[in-house]
Amino acid sequence: MKLRVTVAPVLVALLSLVVAVVASAAPLSLRRQRGDEFRTAVREKIKHVVIVIQENRSVDNFFNGFPGADTVRVGQSHDGPVFLHPVDLNWPADIDHQHRAFVTEYDAGKMDGWDFVATHPRQDPDFPYAYVPRDQVEPYWDMARQYTFADRMFQSNSGPSFPAHLYLVAGQSDFAANNPNHIETGHYAWGCDSPENATVSLIGPRGNEIKGPYPCLNFRTLADEMDEHGVSWRYYAPAIDSVGNIWSAFDAIRHIRFGPDWGNVISPETRVLTDIANNDLPSVTWVVPTAQNSDHPFPRKKSEVDIAVSEQHGPEWVASIVNAIGESDLWDSTAVFVVWDDWGGWFDHVSPPQLDRMGLGPRVPFIVISPYAKKRYVSHVQHEFGSILKFTEDAFSLPRLGTTDVRADALRDCFDFSLAPATFVPVPSQLTAGYFLRSRSTQRPDND
């Protein structure tokens, strides 16, 4: 009897443990099955991925009040609440958004430091607490309303364009923190075409900024994975100028800049419109804008302050790309991702999770456009730039780069492949593809 009394509880405990293990394994098995099903559907349905990269806006700044999205009209400063004010899309002032500015604004997660960052030219301390009125970015809102808008897309780094663009092609920046600097002039340079004494600062192991190397780096990118597996790609960017190709990530990758793959970097960037019209897009496409079509704020001299707001054509530029794809034979097999490279110093109230020494950085807007994108859907799932890479890897059966694509999600919640491809509805826009093919930028290239 004593033996039975002793063994019975043990058997009950073992049985309970088995039940618990099976119960916990079932959801994991189901998640794996759904993940496999999603990857299979992506490979079957998506033959073209187009990544359109715009500049320097936060979610609270560009999509404030978007239905279903997490935005606010009252921010927090060191002195208390601040009401967000409207700012013109083309207002001639820029906000510091180097890594140091992020550290100040982030303020250990309190998100209250925007009144302590510099502006150029100098503005009121509360200037970064601003939003662009919807009527000035209506094409973006129309795309986001029709398809999927994500209000939890975080840039993977916590600094400006140079590292951000590298993350969008490689899931890393080799710890580059800011834009390269030309020591003698103090002007920014870019990549392997920089002056000889240009350098780029790095984020050190302790999270501090340290002096770094010449900004001609050499690590693997998604393009290298595609080369090795026979997947075609192009990178459409403005032409090289005296300090390199501003916003052109591959100008900073030595083996691409000085190798045969440089032929895949296409200028002018408007060539994408004619290639779409000719049904001649590769499997994967990146598109970066000119300054005038970028959404980036531009400081000007006092005599230039009254230039009309309509001078900035970012919303229409992106609409022209989306409309060209939607009205072509490419539509039924394409996923378009519209993403902003960094937050530009503008206020955002959501504290980004800190996953490594580089970030995450602040939220940036993200729109998923595809015949299979969920309609009128706002994604609250945490995404980062590695999510775009991961989706692309899944679409073309590519291995993982082993950078942020490993930890990131694959944008699974943004698509529904069980439905027939949706018919394209054109994005209303005052400017057509013809306008951009005929025009040239009237603004000097920006440096961040």
Side-chain angles (χ1 to χ4, degrees):
M1 293 294 294
K2 289 183 180 180
L3 181 60
R4 291 179 181 175
V5 172
T6 303
V7 171
V10 174
L11 291 175
V12 171
L14 287 173
L15 182 59
S16 299
L17 179 61
V18 170
V19 171
V21 169
V22 171
S24 63
L28 179 61
S29 176
L30 182 60
R31 287 197 298 271
R32 286 176 178 169
Q33 178 183 339
R34 289 176 177 172
D36 290 342
E37 291 172 352
F38 179 76
R39 284 187 288 273
T40 298
V42 171
R43 287 193 293 269
E44 290 177 353
K45 304 291 188 179
I46 300 300
K47 306 303 178 184
H48 304 277
V49 172
V50 179
I51 305 164
V52 181
I53 305 170
Q54 294 296 99
E55 294 292 317
N56 293 49
R57 297 290 172 171
S58 72
V59 173
D60 276 328
N61 175 258
F62 236 32
F63 283 85
N64 205 294
F66 187 83
D70 180 8
T71 66
V72 297
R73 283 290 174 92
V74 180
Q76 191 69 26
S77 75
H78 286 86
D79 295 326
V82 178
F83 286 92
L84 272 63
H85 62 275
V87 64
D88 287 335
L89 173 62
N90 206 41
W91 186 259
D94 198 9
I95 307 166
D96 186 6
H97 47 281
Q98 297 182 72
H99 175 71
R100 67 189 181 196
F102 167 79
V103 172
T104 298
E105 294 168 346
Y106 176 71
D107 193 16
K110 294 193 289 289
M111 308 301 282
D112 64 0
W114 274 262
D115 52 327
F116 280 5
V117 297
T119 53
H120 178 68
R122 182 176 295 180
Q123 306 287 306
D124 182 271
D126 291 345
F127 176 73
Y129 295 87
Y131 66 93
V132 177
R134 169 180 168 176
D135 61 0
Q136 294 187 24
V137 289
E138 190 65 43
Y140 289 140
W141 280 56
D142 187 79
M143 294 178 227
R145 280 198 310 267
Q146 281 198 60
Y147 302 102
T148 289
F149 177 73
D151 70 359
R152 285 295 187 280
M153 169 60 82
F154 296 92
Q155 65 176 100
S156 294
N157 66 303
S158 51
S161 291
F162 183 76
H165 281 251
L166 289 171
Y167 270 92
L168 283 162
V169 300
Q172 64 152 313
S173 68
D174 208 12
F175 303 111
N178 295 310
N179 296 330
N181 192 278
H182 183 199
I183 297 171
E184 290 181 357
T185 66
H187 294 159
Y188 289 111
W190 197 279
C192 299
D193 287 280
S194 298
E196 290 183 1
N197 57 358
T199 59
V200 60
S201 64
L202 307 178
I203 302 296
R206 299 180 180 178
N208 56 317
E209 284 190 52
I210 58 177
K211 184 177 179 179
Y214 183 70
C216 188
L217 310 174
N218 211 29
F219 46 79
R220 286 178 65 79
T221 71
L222 185 62
D224 295 301
E225 299 282 359
M226 290 189 284
D227 286 345
E228 293 169 2
H229 290 81
V231 178
S232 60
W233 65 274
R234 290 184 203 134
Y235 191 102
Y236 294 86
I240 288 286
D241 61 21
S242 60
V243 291
N245 196 339
I246 298 299
W247 301 328
S248 183
F250 287 115
D251 189 37
I253 306 298
R254 179 182 298 277
H255 66 273
I256 291 182
R257 175 63 184 93
F258 299 116
D261 266 352
W262 189 245
N264 290 342
V265 179
I266 307 297
S267 297
E269 77 295 336
T270 52
R271 261 276 305 276
V272 70
L273 296 171
T274 55
D275 286 353
I276 292 169
N278 293 327
N279 289 326
D280 183 30
L281 273 193
S283 298
V284 179
T285 301
W286 289 272
V287 187
V288 296
T290 61
Q292 192 170 12
N293 300 328
S294 68
D295 304 323
H296 194 301
F298 290 97
R300 298 191 193 87
K301 299 176 183 178
K302 291 183 179 180
S303 61
E304 299 175 309
V305 165
D306 294 328
I307 294 177
V309 171
S310 61
E311 198 176 67
Q312 180 62 254
H313 297 313
E316 292 81 9
W317 161 245
V318 175
S320 74
I321 298 171
V322 172
N323 283 338
I325 292 171
E327 293 165 356
S328 75
D329 293 339
L330 301 167
W331 170 246
D332 282 357
S333 61
T334 299
V336 181
F337 300 123
V338 182
V339 65
W340 282 254
D341 73 328
D342 66 61
W343 84 114
W346 297 104
F347 173 76
D348 196 82
H349 77 282
V350 175
S351 177
Q354 297 304 285
L355 303 184
D356 57 32
R357 70 174 101 161
M358 297 299 293
L360 301 175
R363 296 188 305 168
V364 294
F366 183 59
I367 309 172
V368 178
I369 302 164
S370 173
Y372 305 102
K374 289 183 180 177
K375 302 299 180 284
R376 299 183 177 274
Y377 172 66
V378 177
S379 169
H380 304 301
V381 174
Q382 180 175 308
H383 310 300
E384 62 169 296
F385 291 169
S387 302
I388 301 172
L389 301 183
K390 194 167 196 169
F391 178 92
T392 306
E393 291 163 349
D394 289 348
F396 301 104
S397 301
L398 298 172
R400 300 287 180 235
L401 271 170
T403 57
T404 53
D405 58 333
V406 175
R407 73 187 184 199
D409 80 305
L411 305 174
R412 196 170 80 189
D413 74 302
C414 300
F415 291 87
D416 185 350
F417 289 107
S418 67
L419 303 177
T423 301
F424 179 71
V425 178
V427 179
S429 176
Q430 295 181 351
L431 301 177
T432 65
Y435 170 85
F436 295 102
L437 289 168
R438 292 189 302 269
S439 66
R440 293 185 178 181
S441 175
T442 59
Q443 294 169 311
R444 56 184 286 277
D446 186 68
N447 54 29
D448 61 353

